[in-house]
Amino acid sequence: MLKEKDKAPDFTLLSDDGKKISLRDFRGKKVILYFYPKDNTSGCTREACAFRDSIKYFEKNNIAVIGVSKDNIESHKKFKEKYSLPFTLLSDESLDVIKAYDAWKEKSMYGKKFMGVQRSTFIIDEKGYIKHIFPKVKVDGHIDEIIKLIENE
């Protein structure tokens, strides 16, 4: 289980534009790495749009935003275009990265248990270490929570 101050697990995944992206590509920048269950669902759309609407703040503070789900690249492309998302979406169909960041959890809905992506966010510093972990993210107010935390550092 990852903890704050741990080295963030490096990875290489395909992005929404079909390019290979590695976490190490972002050294020298802070990274907001967020895991979400599924493109084009209500909560995931609200979360992505909240990041989109605050992107100028993150860019001004040298912070990259990266979203990860198990959806394929084609799904990510459509999601990104539909909502004009100005940040990278990575496809983790193998679940390797999702599991490395402990975001693959047992969930339940209507009394049925199943495995799925737990909405969670990691703030990774310029040297690749985890500064903050937000497990079990609630979409509403999450961006404000991140910005407040960054401003209080």
Side-chain angles (χ1 to χ4, degrees):
M1 181 137 166
L2 292 173
K3 302 179 301 304
E4 292 175 357
K5 299 185 180 162
D6 283 353
K7 185 89 167 144
D10 198 12
F11 57 80
T12 301
L13 291 172
L14 288 176
S15 69
D16 50 82
D17 63 3
K19 293 182 183 158
K20 287 184 178 181
I21 302 287
S22 298
L23 182 59
R24 68 182 156 278
D25 298 339
F26 296 90
R27 288 294 188 274
K29 267 190 157 181
K30 282 186 181 160
V31 174
I32 295 173
L33 182 66
Y34 81 96
F35 295 89
Y36 65 98
K38 188 153 184 54
D39 292 339
N40 289 301
T41 56
S42 62
C44 296
T45 298
R46 284 194 347 264
E47 183 177 28
C49 290
F51 276 116
R52 177 199 65 202
D53 295 346
S54 298
I55 199 68
K56 289 205 183 329
Y57 172 85
F58 296 124
E59 288 172 346
K60 186 177 84 174
N61 287 283
N62 197 33
I63 302 169
V65 174
I66 303 171
V68 180
S69 82
K70 63 185 185 74
D71 294 306
N72 64 37
I73 293 168
E74 199 53 45
S75 176
H76 280 344
K77 269 188 211 171
K78 290 175 185 170
F79 185 48
K80 188 170 179 170
E81 287 171 16
K82 184 174 182 179
Y83 294 102
S84 302
L85 304 177
F87 52 85
T88 301
L89 298 178
L90 299 178
S91 176
D92 185 18
E93 292 182 87
S94 70
L95 305 175
D96 292 341
V97 177
I98 290 167
K99 288 178 179 177
Y101 280 83
D102 202 32
W104 188 247
K105 300 285 188 183
E106 184 177 90
K107 300 166 96 176
S108 85
M109 188 182 294
Y110 307 118
K112 292 186 178 180
K113 292 191 182 298
F114 60 96
M115 295 301 289
V117 176
Q118 177 177 279
R119 191 180 311 280
S120 50
T121 302
F122 294 77
I123 299 179
I124 301 167
D125 72 14
E126 296 87 346
K127 294 179 180 173
Y129 288 88
I130 298 170
K131 284 199 71 128
H132 301 285
I133 300 172
F134 299 89
K136 297 183 183 176
V137 166
K138 301 281 184 255
V139 173
D140 296 329
H142 183 50
I143 302 302
D144 293 336
E145 183 181 26
I146 291 172
I147 290 172
K148 185 177 179 182
L149 192 129
I150 290 166
E151 290 181 347
N152 288 327
E153 288 184 338

